Each structure stands twice: as structure tokens, then as C-alpha cells.
Amino acid sequence: MPYVYLDEWPKTSPQDLARKENVLVSAKLMLNAAFSAPVMGGIPQVEAALVYGEDEQERIARKMEEIALLNESPRLREVFRTEAVMVREADSIVLIGNYRAYDTPMDVGCGLCSAAPNCNFLYDKRKTTAGIIDPVESPRPDSPEEAHFRGPLCMCRVSDMGEAVGSALLVANSLLVDAKPMLSVGLAAVKLGYLKRSEVAVGIPVAAQAKNPFVDVLPNYHAFSLDKVIDNIRRTYPTLRQVYWYDYKTGFLAKKGSSGNLKPDGSDSD
Amino acid sequence: MAILDGNYEALHGSVVEVAKLCALAALKAPKLTGTEIKTKIIVGEVDVRPIVDVMEILGEVSAFVQGDAQTIKQNLDAGTPPTLLLIGVNAAKSPVSWEDCGACGFGECGEFNRHATKNFGAGTLFAGPSCMARVIDHGIAMSWAAAAAWHHHVDNRLQASTGVGAFLLGYMQDVSLVVSLTMGPPGFSIYYDRKSMKRAYTDDVIQEMLMRNIPALFQGFPGDGLPKLKHSKDWMADWRFTQVGKDPEFEAKNQEVMGKLQAYLGEFQAKRQIQA
């Protein structure tokens, strides 16, 4: 079948899915870049996931909205709620996490997290067995009820993750697809267990649509999104179309200049 | 040896260099018909300021233009003027008997050209009438220029609003369609999610704007034939409606703005002649 028809409307129509397939190619190339990104010492520490499809994106978006309510700051609530809309509007989601930041730190006493030439600040907050951070006794990353990452994290590892995210974004940039790094998405993904071992992650929704869905939004975007507008038209229009009781076969429109528009005027009937 | 700070003074020159690369991209861009693309780079406050002035006047009746004007103005005031790459084309002249494609509404290119010569005029944004092939070529050129800026990581936005300002001031000759690729100052995001427009509008203003533009979102039960708008929690008691009607206030304002614009353009041209 050498014919593929692409469009971004209607949502999840064959043409929209075909377009999303293409965006997926870009997202996959972004993942290559994430893995080949420069990291300190070339130590493997990055894991990644690719999530797409209405159901999966909805799942992440809802988790973000759940986390939004856990936040006390109204500003953060709005960030989580708005970015949840963006996750729904995206074509696919790239997730990049670091699975060493929590329990296998760099161990060089770099000073980033502690401002001291040792890693005590991190080790003091963990349960250890013979100095090794206990993989069972330390709480699992995907504990559901928290609105933030559990630090202190090894900032050397986090920095490396930043480079992985940056490489992925650079690929998106050169492929001319829109992408935006979001901590909110990363947090939701960690809580949902999409990244199996990571305590910290960044989510990158990716899209190739007429309007970059990740910029220039309205305040309270979750209430004023295009989906909401369309849904409200679907809600009001069925009622609206019947209140004038128009019979298209006889066409009894009132003559111009006749009196009211709520009561039929006898003189107007043909 | 030298130490270069990553500030405006050090990097502004690079933005101008990238603007030149974008201009190269616009000229090099593939064309349907070998259309001549015209570019001009506007650098520095002295030459950008009049464009902002014109946009500010137009912006009195257009929120979109006003937003662009204010963003650029703030950067001018902060001493970090953006660089404008004007990309223009004269679309009011068709390559004679190219295809006689009919898109302009005439059967033959010659007929279009005769019509265009007699009826050349400006609309609210651009001038016309336009040969479709020229317009497409201009579109391709804009796209290549924007992609060049993108690849060099300079924040940019294609703006008809800024293009209009430059067009009205006569920054480009022999063009009918000018769009500005507004670039820089160096920074993360100037033209998207605009920090410059932070707190420019109150909640109320935004909500009213939304109600005017997408009343369908706010309308309650439409069976009454006059749906009430959900403006606050007690929308059912405190009734608000949308209305269809003329707006004499807006019309008067529009008239006033056009007058102001004429006056400003006249002054600008006079000043320019004195300088020349």
C-alpha cells in the first residue's frame, strides 16, 4: 500500500495515527542520543522508555493531576495540571531516568550535594549494609504518595542525566520536532514504574503539529484546552439545534421584519 | 588572550552573523519559479524603534500585534535589541506565462499582471494581489530561514506584525509581502511563553477575552435560545450573555489609530528625507 495519508485531525483517526507513527521515528532517534550522551567515566546509568498511545498518555496525565493535588503551592499545581494537558496533546513521550542517583552514587565526594569533600550527606539518609546502600531496606522509588523526588540524590549522576536529556533534545531540535523537558512527567513516570529502577527522571513529550503544544498556553489551561472547548460544543449543540423546531421540508421561517422570534406569527406561514 | 562574557555585548554579534546565515538560507531555499527573495537585516535600536512604534499604534486595536510590540520594546528598553531579518517578495508580479495556473483568479499570467499593475494595494497585513507561485516561494524561504536560526539555537519567531511595521515604514522597496524573522537577543525563550508579557493581563481580562473568543466553552444550557455564560460560581443568578452587534467604540478607536498611523508615517518619512 504505497499510500499513507497524514493529518493531525481528527484525533486518533487513521491519518493522525499515521502521523504519530512518524513522530515515533524521531522519538526513537532521541533515545539513541540519550544513551550515547557523554557521562562521567562512561558509566552506564541511564535508562529510558518510550510511551505513546492514548491510554498510556492518559495514564501519565492523570498521575500528574494526582500529584498536582499533593502540591501545596498553587504555582506548582498549575504547572502539573498544565503539563498534564500537554502530555495528552503530545504525539509520544520520551522518558529518561538515572538509576544510580539514588543508591549507587559517584562516591567521589564531589561536594555538589553536600558542600563537603565526602558523600556522607547522601549516605546518612540511606540504610546501609556494610556501607552499601541497602537495596531492599531503602524505600522503593515508586512509592505513590509523594509529590517530589526523595533526596538527597547524587548530583554527579543527575548532571549526567542532564546530558542525556540534552542530547535527546538536540536530536529533536535538528529533526524539527517540538519537544520539551518536563520534571512533572518524569516524576509521574517514576511513580507509575515506567522507569523500573530510576528514582529521578525527566519526561520529554514530543510532537509534530501545526502549533507547538508545549508553549504559549492559557492560564488554567486544563480548563480552557481545545479538548474542553470541543467537548462543550458537543454538549450544547444537540440542544441548540432543536430549539427552533425548524421543518426543513416546509421551511417555515418567519418573514423578515415580523414581530417575535419566540411565538409563531400566523401571518408568516405560507 | 581575552575573556568573553556570555552577555549581550559579547553575543549580539553572533546573532547578527546567524541572521546573515538565515538570509543565505532564505536566498538558497528551493524555489518553484526562481522568485527573487529580498532580505534585509535590521540591527540596533535606532532602526528597530520606529518599527515598534508603528506596531504599538496598530496594537491599540490588535492584542496580537501589541504583544509582539511590547516584547520587542522591552528588549529595546533593556538595551538588548533583537535583530530582525526581513524576508520580502514582490508577489504582485507573476513570471509571465509560467503555467497560467489560475490560482490568482485569472486565466493567464499576463491578465493577472495587467490587473495587478492597475490594482496594487495594501490590506491589513500585506499588499496584493498575489501570484501563488511567488507566495509559495516566499513561504519556503521563510521556512529555511527559520530552520537556520533553529539549527543555530537562536530564539526566533516569524512575525507578520513586525513585517507590517517594516513594510509601512518603507524599509524594503519593491515588495508586496514582508515577514520578519525576529531573532534574539541571546536567551532561552523570548518569543514563546513570554516572560516579557508576565503580568501584562489580569485574570479578568483574560477570562473576558476567552468569553468573547470562545463563548461556546462558557455557554450553559442553550435551550432558552439565549444561553447564559458561566462567568463565575453564581452565573445562574448573575446573568451574562454574548451579543451580536456593532461596536461604535471600537470603530472610532480603529479610525483614530489609522489617523495616528498616517501621522507617524508622515513624520518618519519627513525625518528621513532631512537625514538624506
Side-chain angles (χ1 to χ4, degrees):
Chain A
M1 289 188 297
Y3 174 72
V4 182
Y5 176 61
L6 305 179
D7 198 354
E8 57 174 78
W9 192 261
K11 294 279 170 215
T12 67
S13 59
Q15 60 265 36
D16 185 43
L17 293 179
R19 186 186 56 81
K20 285 190 160 96
E21 275 307 291
N22 286 13
V23 178
L24 210 50
V25 176
S26 309
K28 286 181 177 175
L29 296 175
M30 287 165 68
L31 289 175
N32 288 347
F35 280 100
S36 72
V39 290
M40 281 181 221
I43 299 157
Q45 51 184 287
V46 166
E47 62 176 355
L50 183 52
V51 182
Y52 60 98
E54 205 185 3
D55 293 350
E56 297 297 315
Q57 284 171 228
E58 180 66 26
R59 196 162 162 239
I60 295 180
R62 287 199 183 181
K63 189 72 190 176
M64 289 163 70
E65 282 162 354
E66 224 175 83
I67 297 171
L69 299 180
L70 296 174
N71 277 303
E72 277 176 22
S73 135
R75 190 186 64 78
L76 270 180
R77 279 178 179 234
E78 169 136 9
V79 168
F80 274 76
R81 286 188 309 227
T82 301
E83 293 185 345
V85 177
M86 292 171 179
V87 164
R88 290 193 180 95
E89 289 182 348
D91 295 329
S92 44
I93 318 283
V94 169
L95 302 169
I96 297 171
N98 185 301
Y99 57 78
R100 297 208 182 279
Y102 188 72
D103 56 9
T104 43
M106 191 73 181
D107 292 337
V108 290
C110 75
L112 272 179
C113 73
S114 61
N118 56 55
C119 299
N120 295 351
F121 184 61
L122 190 150
Y123 277 88
D124 285 350
K125 295 274 164 47
R126 307 279 194 272
K127 283 194 176 129
T128 55
T129 303
I132 295 166
I133 293 174
D134 194 301
V136 176
E137 291 286 320
S138 291
R140 304 294 307 162
D142 49 359
S143 57
E145 63 293 323
E146 292 188 54
H148 46 74
F149 300 112
R150 292 162 310 141
L153 297 171
C154 175
M155 286 300 147
C156 275
R157 304 295 196 206
V158 171
S159 162
D160 285 344
M161 185 183 70
E163 288 176 55
V165 170
S167 289
L169 288 168
L170 188 62
V171 168
N173 181 303
S174 43
L175 295 175
L176 302 179
V177 295
D178 295 321
K180 186 175 189 175
M182 297 178 186
L183 219 40
S184 59
V185 181
L187 183 58
V190 166
K191 299 288 173 203
L192 287 168
Y194 278 111
L195 291 168
K196 298 180 194 311
R197 296 193 284 160
S198 292
E199 166 62 27
V200 61
V202 171
I204 311 175
V206 187
Q209 300 168 14
K211 175 77 193 110
N212 179 349
F214 314 130
V215 295
D216 301 344
V217 298
L218 291 162
N220 292 310
Y221 194 50
H222 61 297
F224 301 144
S225 65
L226 182 61
D227 275 354
K228 291 283 175 197
V229 176
I230 290 167
D231 187 58
N232 212 47
I233 290 176
R234 281 174 54 83
R235 184 178 70 76
T236 55
Y237 186 75
T239 314
L240 175 67
R241 61 178 276 189
Q242 48 194 311
V243 294
Y244 302 103
W245 315 115
Y246 176 68
D247 174 13
Y248 72 95
K249 281 184 184 161
T250 53
F252 59 81
L253 275 180
K255 291 211 172 85
K256 275 203 171 131
S258 66
S259 56
N261 53 9
L262 279 180
K263 273 188 250 166
D265 185 341
S267 65
D268 286 338
S269 58
D270 289 320
Chain B
M1 295 291 278
I3 297 175
L4 289 180
D5 205 345
N7 59 15
Y8 184 84
E9 281 70 30
L11 300 183
H12 173 63
S14 302
V15 174
V16 178
E17 288 307 312
V18 172
K20 288 181 193 167
L21 296 176
C22 294
L24 285 179
L27 300 180
K28 163 68 190 161
K31 311 278 190 303
L32 292 177
T33 68
T35 300
E36 187 197 351
I37 298 292
K38 295 180 170 120
T39 57
K40 227 168 224 189
I41 301 171
I42 314 293
V43 186
E45 200 207 326
V46 177
D47 292 305
V48 176
R49 182 74 73 176
I51 297 179
V52 176
D53 289 343
V54 169
M55 289 164 75
E56 248 193 321
I57 295 171
L58 288 172
E60 286 180 39
V61 285
S62 164
F64 212 78
V65 176
Q66 193 60 267
D68 288 346
Q70 292 308 320
T71 300
I72 299 176
K73 190 182 176 189
Q74 277 188 27
N75 280 304
L76 286 182
D77 292 346
T80 57
T83 301
L84 316 181
L85 169 63
L86 305 179
I87 305 172
V89 70
N90 185 359
K93 199 163 181 339
S94 153
V96 175
S97 73
W98 171 63
E99 280 284 352
D100 292 341
C101 77
C104 58
F106 294 92
E108 289 171 12
C109 293
E111 217 179 311
F112 166 79
N113 281 337
R114 280 192 295 280
H115 167 81
T117 316
K118 270 190 226 152
N119 297 292
F120 187 80
T124 53
L125 289 177
F126 310 118
S130 296
C131 165
M132 184 186 70
R134 299 300 197 207
V135 173
I136 293 176
D137 282 351
H138 182 254
I140 297 170
M142 287 194 295
S143 188
W144 273 50
W150 177 253
H151 281 148
H152 287 95
H153 313 299
V154 176
D155 196 52
N156 67 90
R157 192 157 190 158
L158 281 163
Q159 295 173 327
S161 58
T162 313
V164 173
F167 177 68
L168 290 174
L169 289 165
Y171 275 48
M172 293 189 97
Q173 274 77 47
D174 192 27
V175 288
S176 67
L177 162 51
V178 180
V179 174
S180 161
L181 180 68
T182 307
M183 304 168 62
F188 157 58
S189 180
I190 293 117
Y191 301 103
Y192 300 85
D193 293 344
R194 297 184 187 186
K195 308 283 175 295
S196 56
M197 295 302 282
K198 200 173 175 183
R199 302 209 177 85
Y201 299 105
T202 62
D203 264 9
D204 293 349
V205 168
I206 292 175
Q207 198 171 323
E208 206 189 309
M209 179 269 290
L210 288 176
M211 285 182 185
R212 272 203 304 270
N213 285 280
I214 36 171
L217 177 61
F218 298 91
Q219 279 165 351
F221 181 67
D224 307 336
L226 193 60
K228 292 161 188 101
L229 284 185
K230 299 173 184 173
H231 56 87
S232 69
K233 218 169 197 173
D234 28 85
W235 64 279
M236 279 192 161
D238 181 12
W239 298 347
R240 309 276 165 86
F241 304 98
T242 43
Q243 248 180 339
V244 181
K246 290 177 86 67
D247 187 346
E249 209 177 296
F250 179 84
E251 279 175 36
K253 181 88 196 161
N254 201 39
Q255 207 72 28
E256 184 198 323
V257 163
M258 289 309 139
K260 256 195 221 176
L261 182 64
Q262 289 305 333
Y264 183 89
L265 292 177
E267 238 171 74
F268 178 80
Q269 296 305 349
K271 231 189 281 171
R272 231 188 187 188
Q273 265 162 10
I274 292 167
Q275 279 168 0

